[in-house]
Amino acid sequence: MKTSWLSGLLAIVLVLSSCVEEEPFALRNATPNSTANGQEQPSSCEAACDHVYDECGLLVMQGGATQPKRECVRLCEYEGAFDNKEVCMASAECLEDLDEMIEKCDENEPEPEPDPDPDPDPITGLSQEEHELYVLINDYRVANGLPEIPLSVSLTVVARAHVQDLIDHGSTVLSETCNLHSWSDHGDWTGCCYTSDHAQAQCMWDKPGELTNYPSAGFEISVSGAFSAAGALSSWQGSPGHDDVIMNRGTWEDSTWRAIGVGIEGGYSHVWFGTSNDPDEFPSD
């Protein structure tokens, strides 16, 4: 009787050793017949996996650790074996079948897609990022005792046109000499290489009149790089010359901004300011 009992125990040990290649780290302190979430574990690999994770999902094991799908197999092999020796004895077939299932699951799992751009504002046509930039600039002014600047249809057209021009032609327009206020000659406007000495300032001032019905000069601040709306504003706040434009300081102290236009896309951010009211209006809702 004693010999028979020992032989049976040895058989179970051998079965377990052939079934489990390596204990998952989260199961090293597990005990036989342990349960997940207080529920008895199913006695087959397939059922166990259906039980502990959804298709193409991850298994959350003891201690909150997240393990790949393969750990589901090991959980089944390790815990199910104590209830049903046949599970372990068929482990090779079980693993093969589940490997195929996992492979198929991985192949069918779609690649994550980038979040689509939110729909533009139905009234202003601004993207979410453009709207945020407009709001942040006005919040910054109001916090410093200055009035909000009305959003301008015309100056927004200019800002967006400049953004698109540099997206399309920035590689040939911009250089160490020609800065972000430069324009290509590929549009219904006058192209120019805008230099740091502002020798081509007229090129900037004339853009609202060249592209829209705006009746006076426009003044632009620009930045390029992987900036969000908040990042763009922060960059300008850190540049005294740009910050003065936003805050009507220094050269701009006697200017009253009555219109503002914003454009931000593809790593380019342009904001235009004007001293005249915009004769054009956004459509009413």
Side-chain angles (χ1 to χ4, degrees), residues 185-204:
D185 56 3
H186 295 285
D188 296 327
W189 55 69
T190 304
C192 65
C193 170
Y194 200 102
T195 52
S196 58
D197 60 3
H198 304 288
Q200 295 291 328
Q202 197 71 43
C203 178
M204 177 194 295

Side-chain angles (χ1 to χ4, degrees), residues 1 5 8 16 19 36-37 59 68 80 103 106 108-109 121 143 150 155 165 186 207 217 221 227 243 254-255 272 280:
M1 186 72 175
W5 180 83
L16 286 176
C19 178
N37 298 323
L59 168 66
E103 183 177 350
D106 290 339
N108 293 335
E109 192 168 1
D121 185 289
L155 294 186
D165 184 42
H186 295 285
K207 283 298 172 291
I221 58 175
F227 287 107
D243 198 44
D254 296 329
S255 299
W272 285 73
D280 293 334

